[in-house]
Amino acid sequence: MYDNFEELRENCLNCRKCELCETRHNVVVGVGNTSARVMFIGEGPGENEDLQGEPFVGRGGKLLDKMLNAVDLDRHENIYIANIVKCRPPHNRDPKPEEQELCLDWLRNQVKLIRPKIIVCLGRISAQKLIKPDLIITKEHGMFFRKGNVLMMPMFHPAAILRNPNQKPAAFDDFLKLREKIEEICPEVYGKN
Ligand code: URA
């Protein structure tokens, strides 16, 4: 465990714990405010993220930014975004369980340093890994699950919304629920106290 973010970042950028390091262009550590009360956690970098070294910068990322901005959240201001695995799985295959397990130490360290009040899991892989293995995203999206001092909320993955635009209203509804919860438990996110 590292006790400051710069050290964590530098070591994560040099990680060779699993075979994904052989094919990556960049390690995608995360983006945002390292004191954020709200974290978003996706699955793993895709092609654009691998090339740019930042999470959610492709088409799905543009949609995510739009939905975030609709509830006054911004990836560079009041949230932090990371992924379960920090390196792109070749051909966008699902990250293997052992890759997830090895990489999870980085995320655990990030969560420990950031100390968020709310963690939003983007998509099934993230929600099943971080909330519960049998989570059904189509049924349980938008619900809050308490884990210690943190409230965890599964949401549809932006790429899934792009594939199924009929999920858009439900996805937007989840963002409104998120805003309500932020106003209730950590209004400082919106500069209110
Ligand atoms: N999908 C993810 O889960 N994470 C990213 O960073 C990009 C796409």
Side-chain angles (χ1 to χ4, degrees):
M1 286 278 177
Y2 299 100
D3 47 31
N4 72 72
F5 231 89
E6 290 68 44
E7 217 183 320
L8 179 147
R9 187 174 189 85
E10 201 178 303
N11 282 279
C12 189
L13 289 174
N14 290 307
C15 181
R16 302 195 65 81
K17 284 197 275 190
C18 82
E19 67 185 17
L20 296 181
C21 71
E22 308 289 347
T23 45
R24 74 182 178 217
H25 291 93
N26 282 292
V27 180
V28 181
V29 183
V31 66
N33 184 333
T34 53
S35 314
R37 301 294 74 177
V38 185
M39 275 182 86
F40 284 76
I41 301 176
E43 175 183 329
E47 185 180 17
N48 295 298
E49 291 75 20
D50 175 56
L51 292 174
Q52 295 181 43
E54 183 171 330
F56 289 100
V57 290
R59 265 183 80 219
K62 298 266 176 310
L63 175 61
L64 178 63
D65 280 335
K66 259 196 197 168
M67 294 194 292
L68 288 169
N69 295 345
V71 294
D72 301 307
L73 297 175
D74 183 298
R75 68 165 67 208
H76 299 295
E77 299 286 338
N78 49 8
I79 60 167
Y80 190 88
I81 307 178
N83 281 307
I84 299 275
V85 296
K86 310 299 192 214
C87 298
R88 181 190 183 201
H91 313 294
N92 296 347
R93 64 162 169 76
D94 285 350
K96 295 177 189 168
E98 65 268 28
E99 291 162 353
Q100 295 185 33
E101 215 36 67
L102 284 167
C103 205
L104 216 52
D105 278 342
W106 294 116
L107 184 63
R108 288 196 189 100
N109 202 154
Q110 286 173 302
V111 172
K112 202 159 178 203
L113 291 176
I114 295 173
R115 294 189 301 118
K117 292 255 202 252
I118 299 175
I119 294 179
V120 176
C121 297
L122 292 168
R124 177 182 59 86
I125 299 258
S126 167
Q128 289 185 340
K129 190 77 200 168
L130 301 179
I131 300 174
K132 53 176 183 169
D134 59 349
L135 185 128
I136 301 174
I137 193 81
T138 46
K139 286 203 180 135
E140 296 178 284
H141 69 91
M143 296 180 180
F144 287 98
F145 298 80
R146 178 168 287 285
K147 290 228 161 176
N149 283 330
V150 182
L151 284 180
M152 317 270 303
M153 187 208 236
M155 277 194 192
F156 288 123
H157 193 283
I161 304 170
L162 287 173
R163 282 194 302 271
N164 291 304
N166 59 328
Q167 284 178 342
K168 237 184 203 174
F172 188 64
D173 222 47
D174 292 347
F175 274 88
L176 296 179
K177 279 187 205 153
L178 174 64
R179 169 154 63 187
E180 259 177 38
K181 188 58 81 183
I182 293 172
E183 283 177 336
E184 181 190 329
I185 69 169
C186 42
E188 65 271 23
V189 168
Y190 292 132
K192 298 177 198 158
N193 263 315

